[in-house]
Amino acid sequence: MARIFIISNRVAIPKAGIQPGGLEVVLKSTLKKNPCVWLGWSGEVNDTPRTHTIKKGRNSYIVLDLRTEDFEEYYNGFANRVLWPIFHYRIDLAEFSRRDLSGYRRVNEQFADELAKVLKPDDIIWVHDYHLIPLAQALQSRGLNNRIGFFLHIPLPPPEILTAMPHHDTLIPALGAYDLVGFQTDGDAANFARYLAKELGTGSHMSLTLGSGRRAMRLGTFPVGIETRQFTRLAGRSVRTKFVRKVINSIPGKLIIGVDRLDYSKGIAQRMEGYERFLLGHPEWLGKVTYLQITPKSRSQIKEYAEMEQAVSSAAGRINGAFSEAAWTPVRYVNRPYSRTALAGLYRASRVGLVTPMRDGMNLVAKEYVAAQDPDDPGVLILSRFAGAADEFRAALLVNPYDPDAVGAAIGRAMAMPQDERKQRHAELYASLLRNDISDWGDRFLAALAGPQKGRSSRTVQDLSDFITPS
Ligand code: ADQ
């Protein structure tokens, strides 16, 4: 059985008592079904970097430290200050420097060096996310021609935005060195196809061989899902726990929930404004609804994130200042992470799930909220049309997060929605979750990587036109 090498910025080493994080949940069944080696950054910054290998059953985890300079330039710099904002359509927030780009390339070379020590010719490589775009090229320049796929967890913007990124013309075509490039949505894949057609003049029907000229690259859409039934069961148990009951008993009336990392892509400050418009337009709900926003801080050392922390807390303060009463606080803004179990119960206890990113690759919170509901008395999902999940979740209340009046109106509609309509919408959303469960997501990607004949959802670049003008 061929080994699967999973390569990502961070590695999640399973530890007793620690709940699995995002990527680990997504890759759980791949890690269970195949002998895997997972390689990435240890999370340690160390000027004499070390590499550790940890074995767990038939899987191994190889973690490497980063030098201070590399951490600053690759992670804080190019990945988080250039690729993250630009891929989320925020050219205005990108801070490009050549130094950061060379740090980014250097870490990709470091990863390739480590891989070169352990790879065997029939190992299959699956690279995750925007931190590692040039990795396939770096491996091929070392003569390593393993089958290799790439999955982008975040959005890919159209060429009109991508081309604003300095050095896009060497970086984006580097994806051509992969055998398969996977995206969350057809829209992202179409943007990539349009970039190739426009910038490289591939035309929409040309066979395309980029990079080393060895095999043709293919692209495909593989929307990430969740473990639907397990999450439903978890929510059913969790809603009865002491913790969730205490939260429910502490609020008057209905609960609206938002759960996000503190990131500008998630639109938390804009969402607060939408809630404010709802309170202004629906005085009948004053004192009868509480919006709980759970948001652990992230990337606080980056200026834009620190500014956003400030903007979100001042929006919460403004709303509470204007509307609070002695026995009612309209917004509860909580800056710490909660366990998956606690979140599942809180989702189930909430009448509305407010998921309004300005732009998001998929957004698993939207999927978790739907999975957590009681089918006999479900809550309503309000979802940004700019989340990848909106492609599958047509039965949610879709909103434009740039329009606070529309968000406010959607909250009003959700609060008043009759049970029959809630049940019908939930049934439709839940069916779509089951159709795209995470349990076979890895299998689908790996089957497509093994060859076009096996891939159900991958298309070859000869079919670029399918993506450019989807039927
Ligand atoms: P993220 O940007 O991290 O992921 P998301 O898809 O919402 O966003 O996943 C977040 C995960 O973290 C969820 O499982 C959620 O429950 C958990 N989480 C969020 N806030 C939390 C909190 N306050 N406390 C505890 N847990 C919390 C990236 C991309 C997404 C893409 C995923 C998966 O940005 O677009 O959906 O990868 O591909």
Side-chain angles (χ1 to χ4, degrees):
M1 199 173 188
R3 293 187 300 176
I4 310 291
F5 271 70
I6 295 166
I7 323 293
S8 61
N9 175 53
R10 292 295 305 272
V11 176
I13 303 163
K15 282 199 190 97
I18 304 261
Q19 299 217 10
L23 198 52
E24 193 181 359
V25 171
V26 164
L27 292 169
K28 199 166 129 191
S29 78
T30 305
L31 288 159
K32 211 158 123 189
K33 291 178 196 164
N34 307 274
C36 291
V37 181
W38 189 345
L39 182 144
W41 174 33
S42 61
E44 300 286 322
V45 177
N46 191 334
D47 286 326
T48 40
R50 300 152 309 174
T51 301
H52 289 297
T53 302
I54 298 135
K55 275 199 81 67
K56 297 265 176 193
R58 60 177 182 167
N59 295 338
S60 321
Y61 299 80
I62 304 177
V63 290
L64 20 145
D65 301 342
L66 290 183
R67 289 183 189 83
T68 312
E69 194 183 27
D70 292 345
F71 167 70
E72 282 304 329
E73 294 171 13
Y74 148 83
Y75 183 73
N76 272 341
F78 197 72
N80 285 340
R81 285 201 175 94
V82 178
L83 293 174
W84 179 271
I86 291 188
F87 282 26
H88 286 88
Y89 295 60
R90 293 297 303 269
I91 308 176
D92 59 315
L93 295 180
E95 291 173 49
F96 177 82
S97 87
R98 283 191 184 185
R99 222 179 67 171
D100 289 348
L101 177 58
S102 52
Y104 176 79
R105 290 196 184 281
R106 210 164 48 238
V107 170
N108 274 266
E109 297 289 334
Q110 183 190 347
F111 275 39
D113 282 337
E114 291 300 330
L115 275 167
K117 293 178 193 163
V118 287
L119 271 181
K120 295 185 187 143
D122 63 345
D123 290 332
I124 291 163
I125 308 172
W126 187 4
V127 179
H128 289 263
D129 239 357
Y130 58 102
H131 311 86
L132 298 168
I133 292 171
L135 188 59
Q137 264 185 351
L139 289 169
Q140 284 152 23
S141 70
R142 287 163 176 73
L144 297 162
N145 277 308
N146 298 61
R147 195 159 277 280
I148 182 163
F150 178 89
F151 183 77
L152 185 68
H153 288 259
I154 64 175
L156 191 86
E160 291 74 10
I161 290 180
L162 264 186
T163 48
M165 180 170 71
H167 297 273
H168 69 87
D169 51 340
T170 51
L171 198 70
I172 304 301
L175 286 170
Y178 290 92
D179 296 297
L180 175 67
V181 179
F183 297 95
Q184 298 272 24
T185 67
D186 279 357
D188 298 320
N191 286 338
F192 183 52
R194 275 188 58 224
Y195 176 92
L196 298 177
K198 219 170 149 189
E199 293 299 309
L200 306 183
T202 54
S204 59
H205 289 281
M206 274 174 65
S207 159
L208 179 77
T209 313
L210 292 164
S212 59
R214 36 172 215 131
R215 293 188 289 258
M217 177 205 63
R218 286 171 295 119
L219 56 148
T221 303
F222 304 85
V224 167
I226 60 163
E227 302 166 290
T228 309
R229 292 192 199 282
Q230 285 97 313
F231 204 83
T232 308
R233 283 196 294 271
L234 180 66
R237 286 196 302 273
S238 171
V239 79
R240 294 191 293 270
T241 58
K242 222 160 128 188
F243 166 74
V244 176
R245 293 170 74 90
K246 198 168 157 194
V247 176
I248 299 168
N249 292 335
S250 72
I251 55 152
K254 306 253 179 262
L255 192 58
I256 297 177
I257 193 164
V259 173
D260 313 76
R261 276 186 308 104
L262 186 54
D263 192 289
Y264 48 80
S265 64
K266 305 292 183 186
I268 307 167
Q270 293 87 340
R271 187 184 307 167
M272 296 250 175
E273 217 178 313
Y275 177 65
E276 192 174 18
R277 303 284 168 101
F278 159 71
L279 293 178
L280 284 168
H282 294 82
E284 71 278 14
W285 282 105
L286 296 180
K288 295 181 193 147
V289 62
T290 299
Y291 165 29
L292 170 63
Q293 175 64 46
I294 299 180
T295 295
K297 294 186 180 170
S298 73
R299 304 178 193 170
S300 308
Q301 64 277 49
I302 299 179
K303 187 177 90 228
E304 289 74 21
Y305 286 78
E307 284 170 6
M308 193 194 28
E309 271 174 39
Q310 191 60 39
V312 174
S313 25
S314 68
R318 185 186 67 234
I319 299 170
N320 284 338
F323 294 94
S324 284
E325 286 177 29
W328 175 57
T329 313
V331 181
R332 276 194 199 175
Y333 175 45
V334 183
N335 262 156
R336 68 197 247 0
Y338 282 94
S339 67
R340 264 181 102 61
T341 309
L343 288 182
L346 291 173
Y347 291 140
R348 190 167 177 120
S350 300
R351 165 52 71 89
V352 174
L354 207 42
V355 185
T356 55
M358 311 315 278
R359 194 60 65 172
D360 215 330
M362 176 53 59
N363 197 299
L364 295 180
V365 170
K367 295 195 166 181
E368 291 164 359
Y369 178 77
V370 170
Q373 297 310 301
D374 172 358
D376 294 325
D377 186 20
V380 180
L381 175 66
I382 298 179
L383 178 63
S384 162
R385 57 175 297 160
F386 302 126
D391 273 21
E392 295 162 87
F393 276 1
R394 309 314 289 182
L397 291 186
L398 295 182
V399 291
N400 174 1
Y402 291 90
D403 182 351
D405 287 324
V407 174
I411 299 174
R413 186 170 165 206
M415 296 303 292
M417 191 179 284
Q419 193 180 40
D420 278 354
E421 183 178 348
R422 284 190 276 123
K423 280 168 78 170
Q424 195 189 335
R425 285 177 182 271
H426 174 261
E428 232 175 277
L429 295 171
Y430 200 83
S432 111
L433 279 183
L434 289 178
R435 272 196 301 276
N436 185 28
D437 198 83
I438 196 63
S439 53
D440 66 347
W441 180 76
D443 296 347
R444 276 182 277 137
F445 186 92
L446 292 171
L449 178 58
Q453 70 286 359
K454 291 187 189 161
R456 272 195 287 149
S457 49
S458 80
R459 291 180 240 180
T460 68
V461 284
Q462 281 95 322
D463 304 331
L464 273 186
S465 56
D466 284 3
F467 282 110
I468 294 172
T469 48
S471 52

